[in-house]
Amino acid sequence: MQDYLNELNPAQREAVVNINGPVLVIAGAGSGKTRVLTYRIAHLLEKGVKAYKILSLTFTNKAAKEMKERIATIIGAEKAASLWMGTFHSVFSKILRIEAESLGYPKNFTIYDAADTKSIIKNIIKELNLDDQKYKPNGVYARISNAKNNLITAPAYEANKQARFNDDQSGTPEIYRIYKIYSQRCKKSGAMDFDDLLLQTNILFKNHPKVLAKYQAKFDYILVDEYQDTNFSQYLIVKKMAEVHKNLCVVGDDAQSIYSFRGAKIENILNFKKDYKNFKMFKLEQNYRSTQNIVDAANSIIKKNKNQIPKAVFSKNEEGNKINVIESLTDNEEGFAIATRIFDSVYTDHTEYKDHAILYRTNAQSRVFEESLRKRNIPYKIYGGLSFYQRKEIKDLLAYYKLVVNKQDDESLKRIINYPKRGIGQTTVDRLAEYAREKDLSIWDAIINIPTSNINLNSGALNKIYGFAEMINEFTAKLYTTEAYNLAKEIASTSGITHDLFKDKAPEGVVRHENVQELLNGIMEFSTNNENEETTVSLDMYLEDVSLLTNQDNEKEEDLNKVILMTIHSSKGLEFKNVYLVGVEEKLFPGERSANSTSELEEERRLFYVAVTRAEKDLVVSYARQRYKWGQLHDCIPSRFIKDIDPSYVDFNVKEQDDTLFPTEREKPQTKKDYINKFAQNRTKKKEQKGTAPQARIGSAGKKLIKATTNTTTSQNTAIDNKDVKVGIRVEHGRFGYGKVLQIDGEFPNVKATIEFRNHGVKQLLLKFAKLKVVE
DNA sequence: TGCGTGCTTCTTTTT
DNA sequence: GAAGCACGCA
C-alpha cells in the first residue's frame, strides 16, 4: 500500500500528501482526478485519521459509489463503509433527518422531486387565478429555485426590493406570493424539495450554532469534488463546516463548469484564494486520457474564454488523428453518416460498440441516431431521458409508501386516493383539498377531522374516503414491526396496484407489472444490504434513499457492449475511445439564448470543451445543414465553436455533397407490415413510459372527410388504424392535421396511404403540396 | 365519467 | 415531433 505514492506524478503526489489546511486542486480533463481523491483519502487513513472523520462530497451518486468502491479495494470495505461519502443532497438529507425537529420538520420528511414541485406550483397558480401566460410553472419554479439556492427564503424574498422589482419588470409581480404559499404547503406536508435540502441545512447551521459546532467537530477533513459546480448554498455549507479545522480540499476544473443553470457559481472555484488564505494550489495538467491532438485542440478552444484559471494541459500520449469535421445535408443524413462510420469501424477495425459514444446537446436529438443505428442493427443504449423512478407505476407505488411514512404529504395522497379506482372522484378530492386549505390542515388531517355537516360530501363518498384512510392506517401500524420488503409487497397487493396491473394483459401492462416487481426487488436488495443484528430495515429507511436516486443509479452493471448515446452534460467524468459530437450548429450549440450573453456563451464553450475532452482516440464533430425542429425543417449553419478550434488540429471533411451518396428516402425499404409494426411499437413504448397510451388522433363522423393519397407518411402520436391502434397523420413538410389511414399499399418509401382527413384547412394544403393527390 | 379532438406549447442541460 | 389541456360528446 505504501507504493501507491509512486504511481502518481509529482503534482498528483503533492495533491495527495498535503493533507492539512485548505487545498485547491485544479484537475484538468483526464488528469487522474478520481485517483488523486481516492489516494488522498487512503493517505488520510494511513496517517491515522478515522474514517468517520472524513466527509467527502461528490456531484452524483454514481461518482460517490465508484469512489467508495475504489477506496474499498485499497483500504478494505469495512473502513470504507464508515466514510461519509455522497452527494450534497444525500449527505445533508441524512443530517437534516437527524436534526429535523429543531427546524420544525418531522424526521420522516418527504422529499419532493421536480415533478412534485411543479405540480404544486401549477396548482397554486391556478388557485390564485393568475394569468398562466405570464406565470409558467417552469419559470416560476426556476425563480424559486434560484432564490433558494441563494438562501433567500420566502419571507426574505417578499422583503427583497431587488427581487420584487425584477418580478415587477418581467410582469410577474406575484411570484413572492406563489413562493410563500409553496413554502407553507411544503412545510405543512412535511416535505422538502431538492433545494430545501441545502437551504434548510444552511438555516440549521445558522440558527443552531451548537448543531453546527457538532458537525464542525465531527469532520476533521472535508473533500469536495466538482467544486466548480457548487452553488452558493453548497458553497456556504462547505465554508461553515470547514471553518474550524480548515482541512478542506476542493477539486475541480473551472474549464468544466457547466451547471450554472442549476445555480452553480464558477466564482466559487475562481475565488477560493480569497476565501482561504494560505491555501495551497496544485494543478494537475497532464492528460492521460486523450491524444495530443485532442488535448491541443481542446486547449485552443478553451483559450477563447476570458474567465478562467490559467493552466497548461498537455498529453504525452501519441499524437493521434486530427479531429474530423463532417457536414451533412439533413439531420437524417447525419444519423446515416455516423451510423455508417460506427458500422465500418466495428467491422473493418474490429472496434467494439461500446468504444463509440454519440454526444449531443439536447435529449431530443437522440431520436435520429436511434433510428439510423437500429436500421444498421447496431446495438445502442440511451442514457438519460425518462428515469425508472419517473414511471407512472413506480411513482404511484412510491406515493403509497411516502404516505404511509408521512401522512401529511398531500401530493402523494392526491396521487393515490383514487388509484386504483375506488370511486373517489375529482370533485370529491377537490372539495377535500379546499376544505383542508380553509382549515389550514393537511388533507389527511382534514379527513380525520371532518365534521360531516361542514363539508359538502355525501355519505357514500365519505365512506370510501374513510375506507382508504383505514387502509393507510393499517399499513402505518406495521411500519416498524414489518420488514421493508414485506410491507412494501403487502402495500402493493392490498392497495390493488399489483392486481390492477396484473389483469392488464397487454404487453405494456406486463411491463408495468414487471417494473413494480423490479422496484420490490430493489427494496429487497436494499434490505439485505442494510440489515444487521440489531435493527430490521423499515420502509422509511428505503424511502430516504430512493428519493435521491436518479436514472443513472439504477443502471444494471451488465457488461454492455453497445453504442452509447447521451447528452454532453451527462458525459461529464466519462471517457470513450471514439466520440461523435453531433448537431454542432448555431442556435443549437451554442443555443439561441446563449448568443447574447458572454457568460452563457462561455459556459457553452466549456460544454464544448467537455465534449471534446471525452475522446481518447478519435473525435468526429458533425453538423447538418438542415434540421427538423417541431416538425419543421430549418436551415442551419455550423457552430462558431468549430471555427474556434485551431485549424491545424482539424481535418475538414466537408466535401461537395454527392447526392447519390445518401438516399433521399428517410427510411430503408420496409414492408407494409414492418411499417405498421413500427408504429405499434412506438405506441407501446410510449405507453410503457407514461402509463397511458398516447391520445388517439382520428377523425370521427359528422365532419367533412377528404380522401387523399400520399407517398410519404409519418405519424404524429403514433400509429395506424390497425385493429385497435389509431393514428394521426403528418405529411412531409409540416402538419396537415389528423386523419385516419384507410388503406396502405406498396412498399416503403413508396407507400400509398389513403387517409381520411377531417381538418377543414387541410384540403388547401393538400393541393399546395403536390405530393398529395386529393381523391375526392 | 371517460375518451376523442382541436389547439397550444415546448427544448437546454439535472442533483 | 410529442404532450398537455379544455371542451364536448357518449
Side-chain angles (χ1 to χ4, degrees):
Chain A
M1 175 160 164
Q2 271 295 350
D3 289 342
Y4 63 90
L5 288 179
N6 296 328
E7 294 171 25
L8 301 169
N9 70 30
Q12 291 175 328
R13 200 175 307 134
E14 289 300 308
V16 166
V17 299
N18 279 281
I19 56 174
N20 290 317
V23 170
L24 168 64
V25 181
I26 301 294
S31 63
K33 182 188 70 170
T34 311
R35 168 178 275 212
V36 165
L37 272 170
T38 46
Y39 283 8
R40 188 180 164 95
I41 293 171
H43 190 72
L44 284 170
L45 294 168
E46 191 168 274
K47 290 281 168 195
V49 180
K50 295 273 179 277
Y52 58 83
K53 289 259 172 189
I54 302 173
L55 170 64
S56 174
L57 296 166
T58 59
F59 198 61
T60 62
N61 294 306
K62 204 172 147 214
K65 200 177 140 203
E66 265 172 27
M67 200 153 30
K68 216 164 198 170
E69 280 165 5
R70 281 172 74 163
I71 291 175
T73 60
I74 305 175
I75 61 162
E78 245 174 76
K79 256 192 182 175
S82 49
L83 287 166
W84 277 64
M85 187 174 285
T87 61
F88 275 88
H89 291 86
S90 70
V91 166
F92 292 107
S93 78
K94 261 188 208 119
I95 290 180
L96 282 172
R97 283 194 201 278
I98 300 169
E99 312 292 341
E101 269 139 32
S102 49
L103 285 167
Y105 277 89
K107 270 193 191 322
N108 54 6
F109 63 81
T110 306
I111 297 173
Y112 281 160
D113 64 18
D116 298 325
T117 301
K118 265 181 222 165
S119 125
I120 300 170
I121 290 176
K122 209 168 176 182
N123 281 337
I124 296 173
I125 293 173
K126 220 176 203 174
E127 286 160 24
L128 293 177
N129 270 323
L130 296 170
D131 178 0
D132 57 2
Q133 290 297 314
K134 298 230 158 182
Y135 295 88
K136 307 242 164 102
N138 273 329
V140 177
Y141 179 35
R143 292 291 255 287
I144 294 177
S145 173
N146 190 36
K148 283 186 178 178
N149 285 330
N150 285 298
L151 305 187
I152 302 168
T153 59
Y157 194 93
E158 188 173 2
N160 186 315
K161 289 212 175 77
Q162 186 62 49
R164 296 288 297 279
F165 177 78
N166 289 344
D167 286 346
D168 285 346
Q169 290 297 302
S170 50
T172 51
E174 303 287 313
I175 294 223
Y176 80 96
R177 275 177 70 196
I178 304 174
Y179 186 8
K180 202 157 98 181
I181 297 171
Y182 171 69
S183 298
Q184 288 164 351
R185 214 159 280 185
C186 286
K187 189 84 192 269
K188 202 163 41 165
S189 291
M192 295 200 197
D193 64 20
F194 282 148
D195 302 317
D196 279 330
L197 294 176
L198 306 173
L199 172 63
Q200 296 298 336
T201 303
N202 270 299
I203 294 176
L204 176 75
F205 286 168
K206 190 171 172 218
N207 295 348
H208 303 272
K210 277 186 189 159
V211 177
L212 173 62
K214 182 166 101 187
Y215 290 100
Q216 283 172 331
K218 177 167 173 51
F219 296 116
D220 287 347
Y221 290 87
I222 300 175
L223 296 92
V224 185
D225 191 12
E226 307 280 16
Y227 191 67
Q228 77 282 359
D229 283 327
T230 50
N231 61 33
F232 182 66
S233 197
Q234 292 166 321
Y235 156 83
L236 214 60
I237 292 173
V238 169
K239 196 170 175 207
K240 285 197 170 165
M241 298 261 291
E243 218 159 42
V244 174
H245 297 300
K246 293 210 167 60
N247 295 322
L248 170 67
C249 172
V250 306
V251 182
D253 180 8
D254 55 297
Q256 296 184 65
S257 167
I258 55 173
Y259 280 98
S260 72
F261 69 92
R262 221 170 66 191
K265 291 242 185 308
I266 192 171
E267 288 77 19
N268 291 346
I269 195 163
L270 298 178
N271 294 340
F272 189 81
K273 55 180 170 225
K274 285 189 198 149
D275 289 315
Y276 301 92
K277 314 283 177 204
N278 345 316
F279 79 112
K280 293 191 187 106
M281 173 160 76
F282 304 107
K283 292 185 189 175
L284 311 182
E285 293 173 312
Q286 179 167 2
N287 177 312
Y288 294 95
R289 176 187 299 155
S290 314
T291 63
Q292 289 183 24
N293 236 301
I294 286 170
V295 170
D296 293 343
N299 286 341
S300 73
I301 295 158
I302 203 68
K303 215 169 60 188
K304 308 268 175 181
N305 274 5
K306 297 263 175 320
N307 208 3
Q308 58 178 314
I309 298 172
K311 57 184 108 39
V313 181
F314 65 96
S315 166
K316 287 184 179 168
N317 296 346
E318 57 171 350
E319 190 183 345
N321 298 326
K322 290 188 175 183
I323 295 177
N324 244 297
V325 176
I326 60 172
E327 179 182 274
S328 306
L329 278 182
T330 65
D331 48 357
N332 281 291
E333 188 187 291
E334 184 185 29
F336 182 88
I338 301 291
T340 304
R341 281 186 177 243
I342 294 175
F343 186 90
D344 288 349
S345 171
V346 169
Y347 286 97
T348 59
D349 302 338
H350 304 288
T351 58
E352 294 198 82
Y353 291 124
K354 63 171 188 239
D355 292 335
H356 301 269
I358 300 175
L359 305 182
Y360 34 77
R361 180 65 241 270
T362 64
N363 277 310
Q365 286 166 258
S366 67
R367 210 181 141 272
V368 178
F369 297 97
E370 262 186 276
E371 275 177 21
S372 51
L373 292 170
R374 204 163 26 197
K375 272 178 215 156
R376 292 200 166 263
N377 278 325
I378 298 173
Y380 63 87
K381 174 148 178 66
I382 299 184
Y383 291 81
L386 197 66
S387 142
F388 178 77
Y389 299 101
Q390 300 286 337
R391 285 164 180 271
K392 182 189 178 297
E393 61 273 20
I394 301 303
K395 288 209 86 166
D396 288 338
L397 194 48
L398 286 176
Y400 270 95
Y401 301 159
K402 287 182 182 174
L403 187 63
V404 166
V405 171
N406 171 17
K407 302 249 189 44
Q408 311 304 314
D409 179 357
D410 284 358
E411 280 304 296
S412 296
L413 185 140
K414 278 195 273 185
R415 189 177 180 98
I416 55 168
I417 191 166
N418 196 33
Y419 177 78
K421 296 202 173 27
R422 41 178 79 87
I424 304 174
Q426 194 57 49
T427 328
T428 308
V429 178
D430 287 348
R431 284 190 189 143
L432 254 180
E434 201 181 323
Y435 176 81
R437 223 175 305 132
E438 273 168 26
K439 302 284 170 194
D440 197 30
L441 295 168
S442 68
I443 297 181
W444 177 269
D445 287 344
I447 292 176
I448 303 301
N449 300 314
I450 289 177
T452 36
S453 54
N454 277 8
I455 190 163
N456 187 14
L457 291 173
N458 63 40
S459 61
L462 271 179
N463 281 336
K464 285 170 192 158
I465 293 170
Y466 289 142
F468 171 75
E470 203 176 317
M471 176 177 72
I472 298 295
N473 268 333
E474 277 167 25
F475 294 145
T476 307
K478 295 181 183 167
L479 185 55
Y480 297 109
T481 54
T482 310
E483 188 270 340
Y485 172 70
N486 291 326
L487 183 58
K489 206 168 74 177
E490 186 186 331
I491 294 174
S493 71
T494 311
S495 66
I497 290 189
T498 327
H499 181 252
D500 190 62
L501 296 176
F502 187 69
K503 72 180 182 206
D504 187 354
K505 288 298 177 201
E508 58 272 23
V510 175
V511 172
R512 290 167 64 193
H513 190 255
E514 282 169 8
N515 284 336
V516 166
Q517 295 307 323
E518 200 178 321
L519 185 76
L520 291 174
N521 289 342
I523 299 177
M524 171 122 77
E525 198 177 314
F526 176 84
S527 296
T528 32
N529 286 346
N530 291 284
E531 73 188 346
N532 56 44
E533 286 99 43
E534 293 125 58
T535 49
T536 50
V537 177
S538 56
L539 194 55
D540 55 326
M541 292 166 72
Y542 170 73
L543 271 188
E544 273 177 37
D545 229 56
V546 78
S547 306
L548 293 168
L549 290 184
T550 57
N551 37 1
Q552 300 219 347
D553 303 310
N554 199 41
E555 294 302 336
K556 296 240 174 59
E557 295 283 324
E558 298 162 43
D559 216 9
L560 293 168
N561 187 17
K562 294 180 176 176
V563 173
I564 291 152
L565 281 77
M566 60 169 70
T567 61
I568 304 168
H569 277 88
S570 34
S571 77
K572 194 164 76 153
L574 304 175
E575 55 190 22
F576 313 96
K577 280 219 172 62
N578 305 290
V579 168
Y580 305 85
L581 180 55
V582 299
V584 188
E585 295 137 29
E586 286 292 303
K587 296 190 174 178
L588 187 57
F589 190 20
E592 214 157 348
R593 14 183 159 352
S594 321
N596 302 323
S597 136
T598 317
S599 65
E600 282 183 46
L601 191 65
E602 292 212 339
E603 172 143 327
E604 293 276 302
R605 191 176 280 119
R606 292 194 291 268
L607 195 58
F608 191 72
Y609 175 81
V610 168
V612 168
T613 51
R614 295 313 96 194
E616 293 172 32
K617 203 165 148 283
D618 283 321
L619 173 67
V620 171
V621 174
S622 150
Y623 62 87
R625 284 291 182 177
Q626 289 187 309
R627 177 176 300 279
Y628 272 93
K629 191 188 180 189
W630 297 341
Q632 284 209 304
L633 202 57
H634 294 266
D635 289 327
C636 311
I637 56 170
S639 166
R640 66 190 80 184
F641 294 150
I642 295 178
K643 287 171 218 123
D644 283 352
I645 313 173
D646 183 329
S648 56
Y649 307 118
V650 184
D651 191 0
F652 284 94
N653 202 358
V654 189
K655 39 183 180 271
E656 285 295 301
Q657 284 300 326
D658 177 4
D659 283 348
T660 58
L661 199 64
F662 299 101
T664 44
E665 75 263 32
R666 299 189 159 265
E667 311 270 343
K668 265 170 69 177
Q670 282 178 324
T671 64
K672 174 176 157 187
K673 205 175 157 193
D674 291 338
Y675 182 64
I676 292 173
N677 280 343
K678 184 182 148 195
F679 288 127
Q681 274 168 14
N682 275 342
R683 188 183 164 85
T684 310
K685 198 169 129 199
K686 279 288 148 307
K687 208 167 169 185
E688 274 167 28
Q689 288 175 345
K690 294 289 297 175
T692 51
Q695 287 181 343
R697 309 287 194 179
I698 183 172
S700 60
K703 292 196 180 171
K704 225 187 241 172
L705 296 177
I706 302 163
K707 282 190 185 171
T709 307
T710 172
N711 61 358
T712 44
T713 58
T714 57
S715 81
Q716 160 160 351
N717 292 353
T718 57
I720 285 186
D721 190 19
N722 169 34
K723 293 178 189 167
D724 56 333
V725 187
K726 297 161 187 173
V727 71
I729 298 296
R730 196 186 152 268
V731 189
E732 268 300 284
H733 305 286
R735 180 138 130 224
F736 286 178
Y738 301 101
K740 176 180 180 180
V741 174
L742 298 177
Q743 199 186 331
I744 302 175
D745 302 304
E747 299 282 304
F748 223 94
N750 294 314
V751 177
K752 298 268 186 280
T754 307
I755 310 157
E756 286 180 347
F757 287 100
R758 56 176 308 232
N759 187 327
H760 296 295
V762 163
K763 192 169 179 181
Q764 291 306 316
L765 290 164
L766 295 183
L767 293 169
K768 193 171 163 192
F769 290 84
K771 303 231 176 199
L772 288 167
K773 214 172 102 191
V774 176
V775 179
E776 279 171 32

